[in-house]
Amino acid sequence: MASAEHLKALLRSHLEGDDDRFISVAMQVAAHEARLGHGKLATDLRDIIDQAKERRDANSLVPIGRPRGELANLLEASYPKARLGDMILGETLADRIKRVIREQRHAGRILDHGLSPRRKLLFVGPPGTGKTLTASVLAGELGLPLLQVRLDGLITRFMGETAAKLRQIFDATDQTRGVYFFDEFDAIGSERATANDMGEIRRVLNSFLQMIEQDRSHSMVMAATNHPGMLDRALFRRFDDILHFELPDESQIAELLKMRLAGTAQQSVAWSDLASRAVGLSYAEVARAADDVIKDALVSGRARVREEEIGAMLDELKATGERFGERRGS
């Protein structure tokens, strides 16, 4: 028999219209019954839950996939399939992302004790280090839609309009549970005291600070920036966690090259030697180099890529970055 806490959590999530939390608690009930030895009941519960999830997914694709009205210009919806296992991360960052996933999956238990799971996250680090991919992974792991904020639709030249559109986005977080992702966040979150600050952007930042502080939805709100030094200091305490992304080290570069090329490269490739030549490149650049080598091989009709071709492509990317004086990120 389900515990009293389970029953209360089921009723509360149903009344709040939180389908994801309802299903999560229902799965906990099924697991509880299995531990008590009620195998038939546990199996029946899981079957019912699976059928409900299939119906929900089928019914939710149209309205979320095509935001209506003004939201169509503000949000771009997708349904990521990415998983944490698809990423190559340092141990510390991976552990912190796993903690966010665990807290979200057990949100009901946390909320029942008057606490809140992490759901407002700030990603900082060089370009290409995996910030956008992490937003996709979190959406994929939690079975939520990824709703990326379109800055070209959000920021306008008319006074007060940008803040009004921002309010629409935060209203949507309460109506449709998902992962709401603000990329290039410094465009609206820059320090209010900067010399070139425009009054409208300052008002937008103040509005964002108020809205994220008042947000009580079950959606996740994430922001990413390549320039954390530009952000207003008041922003940092509005987020539940700040995740720092860094360029890959040699071992991570070697792992990424093997992941992308192991099926097409010659057997004798020295991955560690190639990785040492690629230090300073980002994950995104290393992945692009691998893809470019594969494309060259396909165009030339070769079945396998050679080590010297991989090295030459990595050297080319490094030279390009150095020529333009850029610090490359992953």
Side-chain angles (χ1 to χ4, degrees):
M1 182 66 183
S3 69
E5 291 301 319
H6 284 143
L7 292 174
K8 287 191 291 184
L10 283 169
L11 181 59
R12 188 178 295 116
S13 59
H14 173 69
L15 293 175
E16 293 175 357
D18 190 345
D19 292 340
D20 294 285
R21 185 179 169 201
F22 186 93
I23 288 176
S24 176
V25 176
M27 288 297 293
Q28 294 175 30
V29 173
H32 177 71
E33 296 299 329
R35 286 194 295 271
L36 294 177
H38 304 156
K40 180 64 167 60
L41 175 58
T43 300
D44 290 345
L45 288 173
R46 291 194 188 101
D47 290 342
I48 294 171
I49 293 168
D50 289 341
Q51 293 170 12
K53 288 169 68 176
E54 289 175 4
R55 288 195 299 270
R56 183 192 63 170
D57 291 343
N59 292 332
S60 66
L61 285 175
V62 174
I64 298 176
R66 292 198 300 269
R68 298 175 180 177
E70 184 64 25
L71 282 178
N73 298 320
L74 298 176
L75 297 171
E76 183 175 345
S78 62
Y79 298 85
K81 302 297 183 183
R83 295 294 184 268
L84 192 58
D86 300 329
M87 299 186 71
I88 297 172
L89 298 166
E91 184 177 351
T92 300
L93 180 58
D95 286 344
R96 296 181 71 175
I97 294 173
K98 290 175 183 176
R99 180 172 61 188
V100 172
I101 294 171
R102 286 197 305 271
E103 289 189 8
Q104 282 293 316
R105 286 177 174 167
H106 297 88
R109 189 180 306 172
I110 294 172
L111 290 167
D112 286 343
H113 285 77
L115 302 172
S116 299
R118 284 173 172 81
R119 63 180 188 83
K120 302 174 185 177
L121 308 175
L122 177 61
F123 302 156
V124 301
T129 44
K131 300 184 293 296
T132 302
L133 178 57
T134 298
S136 295
V137 164
L138 287 169
E141 289 282 356
L142 297 171
L144 298 174
L146 175 64
L147 297 129
Q148 291 187 265
V149 177
R150 299 178 54 182
L151 291 181
D152 60 335
L154 174 64
I155 299 176
T156 74
R157 60 188 177 90
F158 299 107
M159 183 173 295
E161 187 173 1
T162 300
K165 291 184 175 184
L166 193 61
R167 167 52 63 192
Q168 287 183 284
I169 293 173
F170 274 94
D171 286 345
T173 65
D174 199 40
Q175 297 164 7
T176 302
R177 188 175 181 230
V179 173
Y180 290 76
F181 183 54
F182 293 79
D183 204 357
E184 307 293 341
F185 184 60
D186 41 278
I188 62 173
S190 57
E191 171 64 50
R192 286 170 288 186
T194 53
N196 62 347
D197 175 43
M198 300 293 291
E200 177 66 2
I201 291 299
R202 183 164 59 249
R203 283 187 286 273
V204 171
L205 173 57
N206 288 335
S207 296
F208 183 89
L209 290 170
Q210 293 174 357
M211 292 175 195
I212 195 170
E213 181 86 21
Q214 297 167 0
D215 176 38
R216 296 293 182 269
S217 71
H218 295 297
S219 291
M220 300 190 72
V221 178
M222 302 177 192
T225 179
N226 305 330
H227 308 287
M230 294 178 60
L231 296 184
D232 192 279
R233 309 313 297 175
L235 279 166
F236 292 97
R237 64 184 178 85
R238 261 58 173 208
F239 290 94
D240 300 325
D241 211 344
I242 301 173
L243 304 184
H244 296 267
F245 292 74
E246 299 176 347
L247 296 174
D249 58 25
E250 284 191 34
S251 64
Q252 292 164 340
I253 292 173
E255 186 177 353
L256 179 56
L257 286 172
K258 284 189 286 186
M259 179 185 294
R260 305 290 288 221
L261 295 171
T264 57
Q266 293 178 336
Q267 296 293 328
S268 59
V269 171
W271 301 110
S272 58
D273 292 344
L274 288 171
S276 66
R277 294 167 64 173
V279 171
L281 292 177
S282 65
Y283 291 100
E285 288 171 320
V286 173
R288 186 166 73 242
D291 290 345
D292 286 345
V293 170
I294 293 174
K295 287 189 290 185
D296 283 350
L298 291 172
V299 170
S300 303
R302 298 191 307 274
R304 296 285 178 180
V305 298
R306 299 186 292 268
E307 181 175 339
E308 56 268 25
E309 294 167 338
I310 304 170
M313 192 63 71
L314 293 170
D315 292 342
E316 180 181 317
L317 282 175
K318 287 197 72 172
T320 301
E322 292 167 359
R323 187 176 303 121
F324 287 97
E326 298 175 350
R327 294 179 62 85
R328 311 299 288 180
S330 68

